[in-house]
Each structure stands twice: as structure tokens, then as C-alpha cells.
Amino acid sequence: RSGSFVPAVVIGTGYGAAVSALRLGEAGVPTLMLEMGQLWNKPADDGNVFCGMLSPDRRSSWFKSRTEAPLGSFLWLDVINRDIDPYAGVLDKVHFDQMSVYVGRGVGGGSLVNGGMAVVPKRSYFEEVLPRVDAAEMYDRYFPRANSMLKVNHIDKGWFEATEWYKFARVSREQAGKADLSTTFVPNVYDFGQMQREAAGEAPKSALAGEVIYGNNHGKQSLDKTYLAAALGTGKVTIETLHQVRAIRQQPDGSYVLSVDQNDADGKTVAHKEIACRHLFLGAGSLGSTELLVRARDTGALPDLNAEVGAGWGPNGNIMTGRANHVWNPTGAHQSSIPALGIDDWNNPTAPVFAEIAPMPAGLETWVSLYLAITKNPERGTFVYDKATDRAALRWTRDQNTPAVDAAKSLFDRINRANGTMYRYDLFGPQLKNFSDDFCYHPLGGCVLGKATDGYGRVAGYHNLYVTDGALIPGSIGVNPFVTITALAERNIERIIAEDVKAA
Ligand code: FDA
């Protein structure tokens, strides 16, 4: 047991955390980041930092004895997952009663495992979701700042049209077109120049070797290469890995004390630390930040947290589905793991959908067109503290996803009708299932801006306590969320440094 004091602590190293740490460091504030996952920079015996998608090993998963890939089956067969040793791997699937949530674990959080799709939401929907945030300021200043810091880049359209690696996307675009649906190019943080060099045989393959959900060995400009590198470069920020924050309490002088377990990569706790700080920033993600606050409120450690803590959670309307193409319409044995197109039907008045055209990089022809649909589902879940397990349980029922499934169905029924095609029923486990309604990639909410916090992420009822991450967004943003999380964090930390930190 050791005790120490730092002016600022940031919990987590995902988007909200990384932005906050960089700006605190630039402001000269000594800042400690605590991350429960590992730093992914050391090659293993096979010469790679991360393992591939088709032959996953223990590096793939956060303490599982079998991998839990989102597409669990093919022809209903469990051919995709592998037995592995439990280890502090990079992708976690957190199971709640009727919903599972994929999250990244490691320095960079979700940026290590996500598809890199960098999408600014439609302004009208942003205004609907976060009406008290000045949209002009967001769209003029903070979204551009986020895009530039994240190194968002665009695919070369000529190359996209010609390369075998995006045939799957062109096939889906043509089929959407037959249903009078339009597609849009989606920017990404994966370096498309590197991807073209991969295709030309001039660079080692990563996106073109199926790498993504278990980490990219090349090309992905994840947070460790952007915001976090810049944060460390200030000389004021340090990162402790394999440090999991368990509990937060406050001392009479207003400072916060964190109870932290330091673990090894096999999960053994090697030290318990108590770390005190003046300013505490929660960037542990929608699940992580909300759990810490729900626990703090309901164990009496921070009793003045309000009833909104835990509320307003949603899966961003995420629904996955796959379509079966005709044999004369193959999608290609070679598919880039990085999506480049989305079907944009968000202006549909009855069932808005933005559907990412997802790859299925199986290395062989599957005739599958795969999609991650983002729908506008008004249903919300709530996290409640479960004393018996000391965990936050998610109150969310499967049928709350019915509006999302219905919206996705109306769009893909249209595409199937126009093309004489069908759904695939074999991709989501042993049962007949054409829509995944029980997992998501985009957990949002739990500490909603302006409800559990003020308009800048200051937690209601406390001073110097902040939420910085996806927990602030009330369950839905209509597109892939990390650019919004980043831009909102930029906006909030600017205000907090000026008013709370510099003034102190
Ligand atoms: P984020 O989850 O990134 O980071 C939280 C960090 O805190 C993690 O590193 C975690 O280990 C750590 N932590 C949690 N609890 C802790 C504790 N108690 N102590 C210490 N550390 C703790 N989005 C997008 O815009 N485009 C895309 O293409 C995709 N694709 C995609 C694919 C897949 C497979 C996934 C899983 C997700 C995506 N996403 C995405 C979603 C995106 O990655 C996600 O919205 C952001 O990473 C969320 O950022 P946050 O800052 O909220 O937390």
C-alpha cells in the first residue's frame, strides 16, 4: 500500500482521456493517467505487437478463455473463435444481462481496436441530441481540431474504384443504388497512403491482412500515435499501465483519493495504491466512468452525486446484419478491414439509418455483404449498483432494441427486394438470426452532459470532478462516435482549464 499526490489524475487513455491529458500537460499541470490495459508496443515471439483476426491468441482478448468475435459463426459453425489463455489482451466484451459491449483495453482505449471511421455527425442531429451545446462553436472550431489531431484522412477515390480490396464496398454501393439509397465516403484515421503501399507490396500488410478488432500492426493512427504521444511530449504527463481504479472517495480538504490495483498481465494484483489528486478526470469510457460514479454514489463514498448518474445509456442504435449475394455477384476474397463507405439514409423520416458497409475479411469468397447499422433508437438503459458483485449492472432489455432492428430491417428489406437477395442467418451464433440485437460497439451515456454533469462535464454535486468521455453523450449520435467524443472533450477541457485549473 503506497500513497502519493498528483495535481491531476485522468482515468483511462481513450479519446476523452487523451484530449484532457494533452491539454492539461500543455497548461503545465502534472498529470497522471491510469490505464487498466497494457501499452501495446512490444513485439511478441512472432515479431508482431498484435495477433491477427483469423488466428487469434491471448493478445486478442481481455481475460477470456475463448475469443468472442462479433461474428461468432459461419454456416452456424463455431469456426471463428479459438481457445486462449486468459490475459490482459486488447479487446474486451463486457457482458450484461441482455446486452454485451465491446471495448478496447490498453493505452489508446477503443482506438486500438476500432474501425477508425471518423465521422462528424449531421449538425441538425447533433443539435437535437445536445441542444445546450453551442453547435456553431463545435462545427467551426472543435470538430476541425479533433479531425486534425486525430490525423483523419480520405481514401483516394481513383484507387478505391480500381482496387480489389474494396470490391465488397462497390458491390454494396451498387445494390444500395438499386434501392435508391445513396452512399457516402467515410474518412478514417487509418493511413490510406500506407494502405495503398500495402496493396502495391511496398509495405507490410495490416488493413489488407484482416487486422482490426485485435489491433493493427501498421497503418492505424491510434491515440498512442496522436494525442497520447503529444501528451507525453509535454513532459508533464505520465501513464501507468495495468492500473485499475477501483474506488473514488473525497477527503475533507476536497481532494480525491483513488484506490488502485496494479496488476500483472496475467491478472495477478501486485500492488494496491492510494493516489490523491486535486482535479480528477474520468475518461474510462461510458461503462468505466459510469461504473466508478455509480459505485461511489451508492456505497456512500460520494453521496451527493445525483440520480442522473447511471441514466441515459444507449448503444447508438447499433445493429449488425449480413446479406447473401447471388453466386454471380462475389464480394471478393481480398477485403480491406477498414470500412470506406456508408449508406446514408439518415434523412428518412420514419426510420433513419446510417449503415457502415463493413468488410468480412475471411481470406476467401463468402458472398456476404456485411453492415453495421446505426439507427435512431429512443430507448435508454440505466446502470444500477449491484452490492453483491460490486459492479454496475445495466438495466436494458432485448426488446428495447426492437425499434433499432425494425429500422435496420426496413432499410435492408428494401435492398434485398431491389436485388432479389436474402439475409444471412448463420453469422450470429448457433440459432437462426439475421440481426444482431444483443451487442454493440458504441456504448454512449451513463453520465449525460447537462444532467449528471453541468454543460462542460463537471460532475454535479462536486468540485474538480469531471467526466470527459462517451458517458457524456445521451445514448445516440447517429454516426460512429469517436470524433464527437474527441471534439466535445476539446471543448470541455478548454473551459475547465481556463476556469477551474488555472484559477486554482
Ligand atoms: P474508451 O473506451 O476509448 O477508453 C476508455 C479506457 O479506459 C480504456 O482504455 C479502458 O481500458 C480504460 N478503463 C476503463 N475502466 C478503467 C478503470 N477502472 N481503471 C483504469 N482504466 C480504465 N467508433 C468510431 O467513431 N469509428 C469506428 O470505426 C468505430 N469502430 C469500432 C469498432 C470496435 C470493434 C469497437 C469496440 C468500437 C468502435 N468504435 C468506433 C467506438 C469507439 O472506439 C468508442 O466510441 C471510443 O473508443 C470511446 O471513447 P471513450 O473516450 O469514451 O473511451
Side-chain angles (χ1 to χ4, degrees):
R1 197 175 269 261
S2 58
S4 59
F5 177 85
V6 274
V9 165
V10 176
I11 306 175
T13 56
Y15 293 91
V19 169
S20 306
L22 168 61
R23 302 307 175 198
L24 287 164
E26 285 176 342
V29 183
T31 301
L32 172 65
M33 303 186 83
L34 298 170
E35 168 57 53
M36 66 194 272
Q38 302 199 64
L39 174 62
W40 292 92
N41 67 348
K42 284 180 291 299
D45 291 345
D46 63 358
N48 287 323
V49 173
F50 297 108
C51 66
M53 198 136 74
L54 295 178
S55 51
D57 59 35
R58 66 177 191 162
R59 287 171 289 179
S60 66
S61 309
W62 182 256
F63 296 103
K64 308 278 180 197
S65 44
R66 189 164 175 81
T67 61
E68 299 181 0
L71 294 181
S73 62
F74 189 74
L75 299 174
W76 295 281
L77 295 173
D78 184 10
V79 289
I80 286 146
N81 288 308
R82 296 278 180 277
D83 289 336
I84 50 171
D85 292 328
Y87 180 69
V90 73
L91 181 68
D92 197 0
K93 187 178 187 186
V94 180
H95 296 276
F96 298 104
D97 193 19
Q98 303 198 27
M99 169 61 73
S100 299
V101 182
Y102 284 96
V103 293
R105 299 269 179 237
V107 174
S111 77
L112 297 167
V113 299
N114 68 32
M117 298 177 74
V119 194
V120 175
K122 291 216 165 43
R123 182 163 166 164
S124 55
Y125 192 55
F126 179 87
E127 289 172 351
E128 187 181 323
V129 172
L130 291 167
R132 291 187 12 199
V133 175
D134 180 346
E137 208 178 62
M138 288 297 292
Y139 282 77
D140 293 346
R141 192 184 311 163
Y142 300 111
F143 278 119
R145 185 178 295 175
N147 276 331
S148 132
M149 285 296 302
L150 292 167
K151 299 203 168 142
V152 174
N153 71 140
H154 300 261
I155 196 165
D156 180 284
K157 295 198 176 137
W159 183 70
F160 171 86
E161 297 301 341
T163 180
E164 61 177 329
W165 298 98
Y166 281 105
K167 182 181 170 69
F168 75 93
R170 297 194 302 270
V171 167
S172 276
R173 178 180 60 186
E174 193 191 322
Q175 294 170 333
K178 283 193 184 145
D180 290 325
L181 290 160
S182 56
T183 55
T184 176
F185 281 97
V186 176
N188 207 287
V189 298
Y190 196 93
D191 178 350
F192 282 115
Q194 146 90 18
M195 198 190 293
Q196 282 188 238
R197 291 191 293 281
E198 293 178 34
E202 295 160 2
K205 285 190 172 56
S206 181
L208 304 192
E211 293 179 354
V212 62
I213 59 168
Y214 301 140
N216 281 95
N217 284 301
H218 312 279
K220 168 88 80 69
Q221 300 171 112
S222 44
L223 289 168
D224 49 321
K225 306 196 171 59
T226 58
Y227 270 102
L228 293 168
L232 295 177
T234 65
K236 293 287 182 185
V237 177
T238 46
I239 303 176
E240 292 279 17
T241 60
L242 293 167
H243 278 57
Q244 181 167 17
V245 178
R246 295 287 183 187
I248 304 168
R249 64 178 195 274
Q250 194 178 32
Q251 310 204 97
D253 68 357
S255 61
Y256 295 94
V257 179
L258 306 175
S259 300
V260 184
D261 285 343
Q262 182 184 356
N263 303 315
D264 67 19
D266 295 315
K268 209 173 102 231
T269 300
V270 294
H272 180 78
K273 299 183 180 176
E274 304 267 293
I275 300 171
C277 63
R278 169 78 39 210
H279 295 277
L280 176 57
F281 295 84
L282 279 79
S286 164
L287 267 48
S289 293
T290 307
E291 177 168 82
L292 284 168
L293 289 182
V294 165
R295 181 186 289 135
R297 182 189 59 200
D298 295 355
T299 56
L302 299 178
D304 296 335
L305 293 172
N306 73 22
E308 293 287 346
V309 169
W313 185 87
N316 202 22
N318 280 188
I319 298 291
M320 261 201 171
T321 190
R323 294 176 39 256
N325 290 298
H326 299 295
V327 276
W328 60 85
N329 214 0
T331 50
H334 285 161
Q335 303 192 8
S336 170
S337 65
I338 297 297
L341 284 184
I343 300 172
D344 187 355
D345 196 30
W346 197 259
N347 291 330
N348 184 321
T350 48
V353 179
F354 179 80
E356 135 193 357
I357 298 176
M360 178 132 171
L364 48 93
E365 181 55 53
T366 63
W367 288 274
V368 174
S369 286
L370 193 67
Y371 307 88
L372 176 67
I374 297 171
T375 65
K376 185 178 170 182
N377 183 354
E379 292 288 331
R380 295 291 173 264
T382 304
F383 289 96
V384 291
Y385 179 64
D386 177 23
K387 205 170 162 198
T389 57
D390 190 31
R391 298 291 316 269
L394 178 61
R395 286 218 179 115
W396 169 274
T397 57
R398 181 82 61 88
D399 52 291
Q400 286 183 275
N401 242 342
T402 305
V405 171
D406 288 348
K409 185 172 181 318
S410 79
L411 182 124
F412 292 105
D413 279 359
R414 227 170 114 183
I415 296 182
N416 279 336
R417 265 198 310 274
N419 292 278
T421 50
M422 307 179 2
Y423 290 102
R424 290 282 297 234
Y425 291 86
D426 59 323
L427 302 174
F428 305 110
Q431 73 285 36
L432 272 178
K433 198 171 170 67
N434 52 346
F435 295 102
S436 72
D437 58 358
D438 56 357
F439 71 81
C440 76
Y441 285 172
H442 299 165
L444 294 172
C447 308
V448 170
L449 193 79
K451 292 189 167 171
T453 75
D454 78 348
Y456 291 88
R458 298 175 176 108
V459 176
Y462 288 87
H463 289 296
N464 300 337
L465 180 63
Y466 312 93
V467 172
T468 69
D469 53 31
L472 292 172
I473 299 174
S476 164
I477 196 64
V479 292
N480 315 64
F482 73 61
V483 176
T484 307
I485 296 170
T486 305
L488 201 58
E490 287 279 20
R491 166 192 177 268
N492 295 348
I493 194 69
E494 196 172 272
R495 173 69 64 111
I496 288 162
I497 286 174
E499 292 184 355
D500 303 14
V501 179
K502 282 209 171 131

